[in-house]
PDB file of all heavy atoms in Angstrom:
ATOM      1  N   VAL A   1       0.892  -1.177  -0.019  1.00  0.00           N
ATOM      2  CA  VAL A   1      -0.052   0.041  -0.029  1.00  0.00           C
ATOM      3  C   VAL A   1       0.937   1.239   0.067  1.00  0.00           C
ATOM      4  O   VAL A   1       1.547   1.548   0.940  1.00  0.00           O
ATOM      5  CB  VAL A   1      -0.925   0.022   1.241  1.00  0.00           C
ATOM      6  CG1 VAL A   1      -1.855   1.217   1.174  1.00  0.00           C
ATOM      7  CG2 VAL A   1      -1.745  -1.245   1.308  1.00  0.00           C
ATOM      8  N   PRO A   2       1.031   1.939  -1.065  1.00  0.00           N
ATOM      9  CA  PRO A   2       1.934   2.978  -1.260  1.00  0.00           C
ATOM     10  C   PRO A   2       1.814   4.154  -0.115  1.00  0.00           C
ATOM     11  O   PRO A   2       2.839   4.665   0.361  1.00  0.00           O
ATOM     12  CB  PRO A   2       1.757   3.624  -2.567  1.00  0.00           C
ATOM     13  CG  PRO A   2       0.985   2.555  -3.325  1.00  0.00           C
ATOM     14  CD  PRO A   2       0.202   1.735  -2.304  1.00  0.00           C
ATOM     15  N   GLY A   3       0.651   4.416   0.320  1.00  0.00           N
ATOM     16  CA  GLY A   3       0.344   5.457   1.279  1.00  0.00           C
ATOM     17  C   GLY A   3       0.712   5.152   2.672  1.00  0.00           C
ATOM     18  O   GLY A   3       0.755   6.025   3.488  1.00  0.00           O
ATOM     19  N   LEU A   4       0.924   3.872   2.971  1.00  0.00           N
ATOM     20  CA  LEU A   4       1.239   3.470   4.310  1.00  0.00           C
ATOM     21  C   LEU A   4       2.741   3.392   4.424  1.00  0.00           C
ATOM     22  O   LEU A   4       3.471   3.296   3.523  1.00  0.00           O
ATOM     23  CB  LEU A   4       0.707   1.951   4.594  1.00  0.00           C
ATOM     24  CG  LEU A   4      -0.812   1.820   4.614  1.00  0.00           C
ATOM     25  CD1 LEU A   4      -1.111   0.391   4.860  1.00  0.00           C
ATOM     26  CD2 LEU A   4      -1.507   2.771   5.621  1.00  0.00           C
ATOM     27  N   SER A   5       3.242   3.555   5.695  1.00  0.00           N
ATOM     28  CA  SER A   5       4.640   3.447   5.951  1.00  0.00           C
ATOM     29  C   SER A   5       5.161   2.065   5.781  1.00  0.00           C
ATOM     30  O   SER A   5       4.323   1.093   5.816  1.00  0.00           O
ATOM     31  CB  SER A   5       4.883   3.922   7.465  1.00  0.00           C
ATOM     32  OG  SER A   5       4.401   3.037   8.345  1.00  0.00           O
ATOM     33  N   VAL A   6       6.402   1.904   5.708  1.00  0.00           N
ATOM     34  CA  VAL A   6       7.063   0.466   5.650  1.00  0.00           C
ATOM     35  C   VAL A   6       6.573  -0.325   6.879  1.00  0.00           C
ATOM     36  O   VAL A   6       6.075  -1.450   6.706  1.00  0.00           O
ATOM     37  CB  VAL A   6       8.519   0.729   5.662  1.00  0.00           C
ATOM     38  CG1 VAL A   6       9.194  -0.679   5.800  1.00  0.00           C
ATOM     39  CG2 VAL A   6       9.039   1.275   4.387  1.00  0.00           C
ATOM     40  N   LEU A   7       6.583   0.239   8.082  1.00  0.00           N
ATOM     41  CA  LEU A   7       6.166  -0.506   9.211  1.00  0.00           C
ATOM     42  C   LEU A   7       4.610  -0.892   9.130  1.00  0.00           C
ATOM     43  O   LEU A   7       4.390  -2.129   9.407  1.00  0.00           O
ATOM     44  CB  LEU A   7       6.473   0.370  10.520  1.00  0.00           C
ATOM     45  CG  LEU A   7       6.023  -0.310  11.855  1.00  0.00           C
ATOM     46  CD1 LEU A   7       6.858  -1.632  12.076  1.00  0.00           C
ATOM     47  CD2 LEU A   7       6.202   0.597  12.956  1.00  0.00           C
ATOM     48  N   GLU A   8       3.883   0.004   8.716  1.00  0.00           N
ATOM     49  CA  GLU A   8       2.397  -0.343   8.625  1.00  0.00           C
ATOM     50  C   GLU A   8       2.139  -1.447   7.618  1.00  0.00           C
ATOM     51  O   GLU A   8       1.293  -2.284   7.814  1.00  0.00           O
ATOM     52  CB  GLU A   8       1.650   0.944   8.342  1.00  0.00           C
ATOM     53  CG  GLU A   8       1.583   1.960   9.413  1.00  0.00           C
ATOM     54  CD  GLU A   8       1.072   3.344   8.993  1.00  0.00           C
ATOM     55  OE1 GLU A   8       1.278   3.653   7.801  1.00  0.00           O
ATOM     56  OE2 GLU A   8       0.607   4.156   9.875  1.00  0.00           O
ATOM     57  N   ASN A   9       2.920  -1.381   6.479  1.00  0.00           N
ATOM     58  CA  ASN A   9       2.717  -2.458   5.492  1.00  0.00           C
ATOM     59  C   ASN A   9       3.057  -3.724   6.092  1.00  0.00           C
ATOM     60  O   ASN A   9       2.381  -4.813   5.812  1.00  0.00           O
ATOM     61  CB  ASN A   9       3.556  -2.095   4.237  1.00  0.00           C
ATOM     62  CG  ASN A   9       2.819  -1.379   3.227  1.00  0.00           C
ATOM     63  OD1 ASN A   9       1.961  -1.989   2.390  1.00  0.00           O
ATOM     64  ND2 ASN A   9       3.036  -0.048   3.143  1.00  0.00           N
ATOM     65  N   VAL A  10       4.272  -3.815   6.820  1.00  0.00           N
ATOM     66  CA  VAL A  10       4.555  -5.121   7.421  1.00  0.00           C
ATOM     67  C   VAL A  10       3.556  -5.517   8.426  1.00  0.00           C
ATOM     68  O   VAL A  10       3.323  -6.757   8.604  1.00  0.00           O
ATOM     69  CB  VAL A  10       6.098  -5.010   8.031  1.00  0.00           C
ATOM     70  CG1 VAL A  10       6.401  -6.267   8.668  1.00  0.00           C
ATOM     71  CG2 VAL A  10       6.973  -4.693   6.841  1.00  0.00           C
ATOM     72  N   MET A  11       3.050  -4.605   9.231  1.00  0.00           N
ATOM     73  CA  MET A  11       2.088  -4.952  10.227  1.00  0.00           C
ATOM     74  C   MET A  11       0.857  -5.592   9.685  1.00  0.00           C
ATOM     75  O   MET A  11       0.192  -6.465  10.264  1.00  0.00           O
ATOM     76  CB  MET A  11       1.642  -3.707  11.023  1.00  0.00           C
ATOM     77  CG  MET A  11       2.753  -3.162  11.974  1.00  0.00           C
ATOM     78  SD  MET A  11       2.299  -1.603  12.801  1.00  0.00           S
ATOM     79  CE  MET A  11       0.928  -2.171  13.826  1.00  0.00           C
ATOM     80  N   VAL A  12       0.484  -5.303   8.419  1.00  0.00           N
ATOM     81  CA  VAL A  12      -0.703  -5.888   7.747  1.00  0.00           C
ATOM     82  C   VAL A  12      -0.449  -7.379   7.614  1.00  0.00           C
ATOM     83  O   VAL A  12      -1.383  -8.162   7.822  1.00  0.00           O
ATOM     84  CB  VAL A  12      -0.822  -5.269   6.383  1.00  0.00           C
ATOM     85  CG1 VAL A  12      -1.867  -6.178   5.543  1.00  0.00           C
ATOM     86  CG2 VAL A  12      -1.333  -3.860   6.468  1.00  0.00           C
ATOM     87  N   GLY A  13       0.792  -7.889   7.458  1.00  0.00           N
ATOM     88  CA  GLY A  13       1.024  -9.226   7.371  1.00  0.00           C
ATOM     89  C   GLY A  13       0.869 -10.017   8.633  1.00  0.00           C
ATOM     90  O   GLY A  13       0.751 -11.210   8.599  1.00  0.00           O
ATOM     91  N   ALA A  14       0.772  -9.375   9.780  1.00  0.00           N
ATOM     92  CA  ALA A  14       0.681 -10.017  11.000  1.00  0.00           C
ATOM     93  C   ALA A  14      -0.761 -10.305  11.448  1.00  0.00           C
ATOM     94  O   ALA A  14      -1.125 -10.874  12.535  1.00  0.00           O
ATOM     95  CB  ALA A  14       1.347  -9.293  12.131  1.00  0.00           C
ATOM     96  N   HIS A  15      -1.724  -9.863  10.526  1.00  0.00           N
ATOM     97  CA  HIS A  15      -3.133 -10.048  10.921  1.00  0.00           C
ATOM     98  C   HIS A  15      -3.620 -11.372  11.286  1.00  0.00           C
ATOM     99  O   HIS A  15      -4.422 -11.717  12.081  1.00  0.00           O
ATOM    100  CB  HIS A  15      -4.058  -9.454   9.817  1.00  0.00           C
ATOM    101  CG  HIS A  15      -4.250 -10.316   8.735  1.00  0.00           C
ATOM    102  ND1 HIS A  15      -3.277 -10.429   7.712  1.00  0.00           N
ATOM    103  CD2 HIS A  15      -5.246 -11.277   8.390  1.00  0.00           C
ATOM    104  CE1 HIS A  15      -3.761 -11.341   6.792  1.00  0.00           C
ATOM    105  NE2 HIS A  15      -4.909 -11.752   7.219  1.00  0.00           N
ATOM    106  N   SER A  16      -3.000 -12.442  10.531  1.00  0.00           N
ATOM    107  CA  SER A  16      -3.392 -13.798  10.794  1.00  0.00           C
ATOM    108  C   SER A  16      -2.947 -14.323  12.146  1.00  0.00           C
ATOM    109  O   SER A  16      -3.574 -15.366  12.596  1.00  0.00           O
ATOM    110  CB  SER A  16      -2.810 -14.744   9.620  1.00  0.00           C
ATOM    111  OG  SER A  16      -1.432 -14.710   9.736  1.00  0.00           O
ATOM    112  N   ARG A  17      -1.999 -13.734  12.714  1.00  0.00           N
ATOM    113  CA  ARG A  17      -1.515 -14.099  14.061  1.00  0.00           C
ATOM    114  C   ARG A  17      -2.051 -13.217  15.230  1.00  0.00           C
ATOM    115  O   ARG A  17      -1.741 -13.361  16.277  1.00  0.00           O
ATOM    116  CB  ARG A  17       0.037 -14.023  14.138  1.00  0.00           C
ATOM    117  CG  ARG A  17       0.650 -15.047  13.095  1.00  0.00           C
ATOM    118  CD  ARG A  17       0.369 -16.448  13.374  1.00  0.00           C
ATOM    119  NE  ARG A  17       0.965 -17.367  12.511  1.00  0.00           N
ATOM    120  CZ  ARG A  17       0.777 -18.603  12.433  1.00  0.00           C
ATOM    121  NH1 ARG A  17      -0.090 -19.186  13.301  1.00  0.00           N
ATOM    122  NH2 ARG A  17       1.389 -19.363  11.450  1.00  0.00           N
ATOM    123  N   SER A  18      -2.845 -12.188  14.740  1.00  0.00           N
ATOM    124  CA  SER A  18      -3.472 -11.315  15.720  1.00  0.00           C
ATOM    125  C   SER A  18      -4.485 -11.996  16.678  1.00  0.00           C
ATOM    126  O   SER A  18      -5.296 -12.872  16.172  1.00  0.00           O
ATOM    127  CB  SER A  18      -4.092 -10.181  15.009  1.00  0.00           C
ATOM    128  OG  SER A  18      -4.734  -9.281  15.973  1.00  0.00           O
ATOM    129  N   ARG A  19      -4.516 -11.667  17.858  1.00  0.00           N
ATOM    130  CA  ARG A  19      -5.464 -12.225  18.849  1.00  0.00           C
ATOM    131  C   ARG A  19      -6.609 -11.350  19.158  1.00  0.00           C
ATOM    132  O   ARG A  19      -7.333 -11.472  20.200  1.00  0.00           O
ATOM    133  CB  ARG A  19      -4.702 -12.672  20.139  1.00  0.00           C
ATOM    134  CG  ARG A  19      -3.756 -13.805  19.913  1.00  0.00           C
ATOM    135  CD  ARG A  19      -3.154 -14.194  21.224  1.00  0.00           C
ATOM    136  NE  ARG A  19      -2.217 -13.218  21.753  1.00  0.00           N
ATOM    137  CZ  ARG A  19      -0.967 -13.206  21.647  1.00  0.00           C
ATOM    138  NH1 ARG A  19      -0.393 -14.065  20.774  1.00  0.00           N
ATOM    139  NH2 ARG A  19      -0.154 -12.305  22.189  1.00  0.00           N
ATOM    140  N   GLY A  20      -6.731 -10.175  18.377  1.00  0.00           N
ATOM    141  CA  GLY A  20      -7.914  -9.232  18.642  1.00  0.00           C
ATOM    142  C   GLY A  20      -9.218 -10.046  18.404  1.00  0.00           C
ATOM    143  O   GLY A  20      -9.467 -10.713  17.402  1.00  0.00           O
ATOM    144  N   GLY A  21     -10.090  -9.849  19.369  1.00  0.00           N
ATOM    145  CA  GLY A  21     -11.476 -10.510  19.261  1.00  0.00           C
ATOM    146  C   GLY A  21     -12.497  -9.685  18.583  1.00  0.00           C
ATOM    147  O   GLY A  21     -12.323  -8.473  18.249  1.00  0.00           O
ATOM    148  N   PHE A  22     -13.667 -10.255  18.384  1.00  0.00           N
ATOM    149  CA  PHE A  22     -14.771  -9.722  17.701  1.00  0.00           C
ATOM    150  C   PHE A  22     -15.292  -8.427  18.474  1.00  0.00           C
ATOM    151  O   PHE A  22     -15.714  -7.473  17.890  1.00  0.00           O
ATOM    152  CB  PHE A  22     -15.928 -10.750  17.508  1.00  0.00           C
ATOM    153  CG  PHE A  22     -17.198 -10.246  16.888  1.00  0.00           C
ATOM    154  CD1 PHE A  22     -17.285  -9.821  15.517  1.00  0.00           C
ATOM    155  CD2 PHE A  22     -18.250 -10.051  17.741  1.00  0.00           C
ATOM    156  CE1 PHE A  22     -18.427  -9.353  15.063  1.00  0.00           C
ATOM    157  CE2 PHE A  22     -19.466  -9.419  17.157  1.00  0.00           C
ATOM    158  CZ  PHE A  22     -19.423  -9.148  15.806  1.00  0.00           C
ATOM    159  N   LEU A  23     -15.326  -8.594  19.797  1.00  0.00           N
ATOM    160  CA  LEU A  23     -15.790  -7.313  20.598  1.00  0.00           C
ATOM    161  C   LEU A  23     -14.649  -6.422  21.027  1.00  0.00           C
ATOM    162  O   LEU A  23     -14.905  -5.269  21.027  1.00  0.00           O
ATOM    163  CB  LEU A  23     -16.526  -7.900  21.890  1.00  0.00           C
ATOM    164  CG  LEU A  23     -17.785  -8.621  21.561  1.00  0.00           C
ATOM    165  CD1 LEU A  23     -18.348  -9.173  22.893  1.00  0.00           C
ATOM    166  CD2 LEU A  23     -18.821  -7.694  20.948  1.00  0.00           C
ATOM    167  N   THR A  24     -13.471  -6.993  21.231  1.00  0.00           N
ATOM    168  CA  THR A  24     -12.433  -6.108  21.824  1.00  0.00           C
ATOM    169  C   THR A  24     -11.807  -5.177  20.760  1.00  0.00           C
ATOM    170  O   THR A  24     -11.581  -4.038  21.103  1.00  0.00           O
ATOM    171  CB  THR A  24     -11.202  -6.997  22.358  1.00  0.00           C
ATOM    172  OG1 THR A  24     -10.743  -7.809  21.290  1.00  0.00           O
ATOM    173  CG2 THR A  24     -11.660  -7.813  23.471  1.00  0.00           C
ATOM    174  N   THR A  25     -11.799  -5.595  19.542  1.00  0.00           N
ATOM    175  CA  THR A  25     -11.208  -4.728  18.503  1.00  0.00           C
ATOM    176  C   THR A  25     -12.043  -3.439  18.227  1.00  0.00           C
ATOM    177  O   THR A  25     -11.470  -2.311  18.295  1.00  0.00           O
ATOM    178  CB  THR A  25     -10.888  -5.488  17.143  1.00  0.00           C
ATOM    179  OG1 THR A  25      -9.978  -6.598  17.497  1.00  0.00           O
ATOM    180  CG2 THR A  25     -10.362  -4.591  16.178  1.00  0.00           C
ATOM    181  N   PRO A  26     -13.319  -3.568  17.827  1.00  0.00           N
ATOM    182  CA  PRO A  26     -14.074  -2.260  17.567  1.00  0.00           C
ATOM    183  C   PRO A  26     -14.293  -1.435  18.763  1.00  0.00           C
ATOM    184  O   PRO A  26     -14.438  -0.217  18.647  1.00  0.00           O
ATOM    185  CB  PRO A  26     -15.366  -2.871  16.989  1.00  0.00           C
ATOM    186  CG  PRO A  26     -15.587  -4.198  17.463  1.00  0.00           C
ATOM    187  CD  PRO A  26     -14.132  -4.713  17.652  1.00  0.00           C
ATOM    188  N   LEU A  27     -14.333  -1.996  20.002  1.00  0.00           N
ATOM    189  CA  LEU A  27     -14.530  -1.259  21.161  1.00  0.00           C
ATOM    190  C   LEU A  27     -13.304  -0.663  21.761  1.00  0.00           C
ATOM    191  O   LEU A  27     -13.349   0.069  22.782  1.00  0.00           O
ATOM    192  CB  LEU A  27     -15.245  -2.123  22.275  1.00  0.00           C
ATOM    193  CG  LEU A  27     -16.677  -2.539  21.876  1.00  0.00           C
ATOM    194  CD1 LEU A  27     -17.208  -3.473  22.994  1.00  0.00           C
ATOM    195  CD2 LEU A  27     -17.580  -1.285  21.663  1.00  0.00           C
ATOM    196  N   ARG A  28     -12.049  -1.018  21.125  1.00  0.00           N
ATOM    197  CA  ARG A  28     -10.849  -0.524  21.659  1.00  0.00           C
ATOM    198  C   ARG A  28     -10.569  -0.849  23.076  1.00  0.00           C
ATOM    199  O   ARG A  28     -10.130  -0.020  23.863  1.00  0.00           O
ATOM    200  CB  ARG A  28     -10.654   0.929  21.377  1.00  0.00           C
ATOM    201  CG  ARG A  28     -10.794   1.367  19.946  1.00  0.00           C
ATOM    202  CD  ARG A  28      -9.733   0.812  19.067  1.00  0.00           C
ATOM    203  NE  ARG A  28      -8.356   1.310  19.430  1.00  0.00           N
ATOM    204  CZ  ARG A  28      -7.222   0.914  18.870  1.00  0.00           C
ATOM    205  NH1 ARG A  28      -7.328  -0.043  18.006  1.00  0.00           N
ATOM    206  NH2 ARG A  28      -6.103   1.405  19.323  1.00  0.00           N
ATOM    207  N   LEU A  29     -11.009  -2.020  23.518  1.00  0.00           N
ATOM    208  CA  LEU A  29     -10.789  -2.481  24.881  1.00  0.00           C
ATOM    209  C   LEU A  29      -9.243  -2.700  25.192  1.00  0.00           C
ATOM    210  O   LEU A  29      -8.500  -2.829  24.259  1.00  0.00           O
ATOM    211  CB  LEU A  29     -11.503  -3.720  25.210  1.00  0.00           C
ATOM    212  CG  LEU A  29     -13.083  -3.536  25.140  1.00  0.00           C
ATOM    213  CD1 LEU A  29     -13.858  -4.826  25.407  1.00  0.00           C
ATOM    214  CD2 LEU A  29     -13.578  -2.535  26.068  1.00  0.00           C
ATOM    215  N   PRO A  30      -8.839  -2.734  26.417  1.00  0.00           N
ATOM    216  CA  PRO A  30      -7.355  -2.793  26.715  1.00  0.00           C
ATOM    217  C   PRO A  30      -6.687  -3.899  25.986  1.00  0.00           C
ATOM    218  O   PRO A  30      -5.442  -3.641  25.600  1.00  0.00           O
ATOM    219  CB  PRO A  30      -7.413  -3.033  28.274  1.00  0.00           C
ATOM    220  CG  PRO A  30      -8.654  -2.322  28.797  1.00  0.00           C
ATOM    221  CD  PRO A  30      -9.678  -2.534  27.649  1.00  0.00           C
ATOM    222  N   PRO A  31      -7.163  -5.120  25.776  1.00  0.00           N
ATOM    223  CA  PRO A  31      -6.394  -6.128  25.080  1.00  0.00           C
ATOM    224  C   PRO A  31      -6.005  -5.670  23.683  1.00  0.00           C
ATOM    225  O   PRO A  31      -5.023  -6.129  23.082  1.00  0.00           O
ATOM    226  CB  PRO A  31      -7.383  -7.317  25.018  1.00  0.00           C
ATOM    227  CG  PRO A  31      -8.332  -7.175  26.214  1.00  0.00           C
ATOM    228  CD  PRO A  31      -8.473  -5.581  26.327  1.00  0.00           C
ATOM    229  N   VAL A  32      -6.830  -4.748  23.037  1.00  0.00           N
ATOM    230  CA  VAL A  32      -6.469  -4.318  21.704  1.00  0.00           C
ATOM    231  C   VAL A  32      -5.240  -3.508  21.679  1.00  0.00           C
ATOM    232  O   VAL A  32      -4.334  -3.698  20.835  1.00  0.00           O
ATOM    233  CB  VAL A  32      -7.691  -3.447  21.147  1.00  0.00           C
ATOM    234  CG1 VAL A  32      -7.266  -2.856  19.785  1.00  0.00           C
ATOM    235  CG2 VAL A  32      -8.920  -4.332  20.977  1.00  0.00           C
ATOM    236  N   GLY A  33      -5.079  -2.656  22.696  1.00  0.00           N
ATOM    237  CA  GLY A  33      -3.766  -1.901  22.748  1.00  0.00           C
ATOM    238  C   GLY A  33      -2.553  -2.754  22.929  1.00  0.00           C
ATOM    239  O   GLY A  33      -1.536  -2.594  22.327  1.00  0.00           O
ATOM    240  N   ARG A  34      -2.710  -3.724  23.806  1.00  0.00           N
ATOM    241  CA  ARG A  34      -1.520  -4.709  23.958  1.00  0.00           C
ATOM    242  C   ARG A  34      -1.267  -5.458  22.740  1.00  0.00           C
ATOM    243  O   ARG A  34      -0.110  -5.694  22.459  1.00  0.00           O
ATOM    244  CB  ARG A  34      -2.017  -5.682  25.079  1.00  0.00           C
ATOM    245  CG  ARG A  34      -1.978  -5.053  26.555  1.00  0.00           C
ATOM    246  CD  ARG A  34      -1.916  -6.088  27.619  1.00  0.00           C
ATOM    247  NE  ARG A  34      -3.131  -6.947  27.638  1.00  0.00           N
ATOM    248  CZ  ARG A  34      -4.355  -6.670  28.217  1.00  0.00           C
ATOM    249  NH1 ARG A  34      -4.417  -5.652  28.911  1.00  0.00           N
ATOM    250  NH2 ARG A  34      -5.327  -7.557  28.189  1.00  0.00           N
ATOM    251  N   GLU A  35      -2.400  -5.905  22.026  1.00  0.00           N
ATOM    252  CA  GLU A  35      -2.180  -6.721  20.804  1.00  0.00           C
ATOM    253  C   GLU A  35      -1.541  -5.814  19.732  1.00  0.00           C
ATOM    254  O   GLU A  35      -0.686  -6.235  18.973  1.00  0.00           O
ATOM    255  CB  GLU A  35      -3.496  -7.229  20.297  1.00  0.00           C
ATOM    256  CG  GLU A  35      -3.355  -8.060  19.009  1.00  0.00           C
ATOM    257  CD  GLU A  35      -2.522  -9.347  19.176  1.00  0.00           C
ATOM    258  OE1 GLU A  35      -2.205  -9.588  20.373  1.00  0.00           O
ATOM    259  OE2 GLU A  35      -2.208  -9.961  18.238  1.00  0.00           O
ATOM    260  N   GLU A  36      -1.886  -4.602  19.591  1.00  0.00           N
ATOM    261  CA  GLU A  36      -1.297  -3.641  18.559  1.00  0.00           C
ATOM    262  C   GLU A  36       0.152  -3.423  18.834  1.00  0.00           C
ATOM    263  O   GLU A  36       0.929  -3.402  18.004  1.00  0.00           O
ATOM    264  CB  GLU A  36      -1.987  -2.366  18.613  1.00  0.00           C
ATOM    265  CG  GLU A  36      -1.501  -1.396  17.598  1.00  0.00           C
ATOM    266  CD  GLU A  36      -2.327  -0.194  17.411  1.00  0.00           C
ATOM    267  OE1 GLU A  36      -3.571  -0.105  17.843  1.00  0.00           O
ATOM    268  OE2 GLU A  36      -1.855   0.920  16.922  1.00  0.00           O
ATOM    269  N   ARG A  37       0.473  -3.354  20.164  1.00  0.00           N
ATOM    270  CA  ARG A  37       1.901  -3.168  20.579  1.00  0.00           C
ATOM    271  C   ARG A  37       2.689  -4.431  20.187  1.00  0.00           C
ATOM    272  O   ARG A  37       3.819  -4.333  19.749  1.00  0.00           O
ATOM    273  CB  ARG A  37       2.088  -2.690  22.028  1.00  0.00           C
ATOM    274  CG  ARG A  37       1.649  -1.348  22.376  1.00  0.00           C
ATOM    275  CD  ARG A  37       2.003  -0.985  23.779  1.00  0.00           C
ATOM    276  NE  ARG A  37       1.297  -1.782  24.789  1.00  0.00           N
ATOM    277  CZ  ARG A  37       0.100  -1.444  25.303  1.00  0.00           C
ATOM    278  NH1 ARG A  37      -0.568  -0.422  24.934  1.00  0.00           N
ATOM    279  NH2 ARG A  37      -0.448  -2.215  26.217  1.00  0.00           N
ATOM    280  N   ARG A  38       2.048  -5.586  20.386  1.00  0.00           N
ATOM    281  CA  ARG A  38       2.685  -6.753  20.028  1.00  0.00           C
ATOM    282  C   ARG A  38       3.008  -6.897  18.606  1.00  0.00           C
ATOM    283  O   ARG A  38       4.072  -7.299  18.118  1.00  0.00           O
ATOM    284  CB  ARG A  38       1.875  -8.025  20.571  1.00  0.00           C
ATOM    285  CG  ARG A  38       2.623  -9.402  20.380  1.00  0.00           C
ATOM    286  CD  ARG A  38       1.637 -10.476  20.580  1.00  0.00           C
ATOM    287  NE  ARG A  38       0.699 -10.545  19.378  1.00  0.00           N
ATOM    288  CZ  ARG A  38       0.973 -11.117  18.249  1.00  0.00           C
ATOM    289  NH1 ARG A  38       2.271 -11.662  18.016  1.00  0.00           N
ATOM    290  NH2 ARG A  38       0.086 -11.177  17.320  1.00  0.00           N
TER     291      ARG A  38
END
């Protein structure tokens, strides 16, 4: 994705290993912040 940074493009590839849940991700609950940092 040309408009994204190098880091953001690589982060896209980690989605299959992400542990964000159906409720936690849209509500931005604390586990989401931890998962994004991971």
Side-chain angles (χ1 to χ4, degrees):
V1 183
L4 295 182
S5 70
V6 170
L7 179 60
E8 289 167 336
N9 267 283
V10 176
M11 288 175 66
V12 169
H15 77 279
S16 65
R17 299 296 178 188
S18 174
R19 294 187 288 269
F22 176 72
L23 291 175
T24 58
T25 299
L27 295 177
R28 302 295 296 176
L29 296 178
V32 174
R34 291 195 296 270
E35 182 61 13
E36 184 173 337
R37 289 191 293 273
R38 186 193 69 81

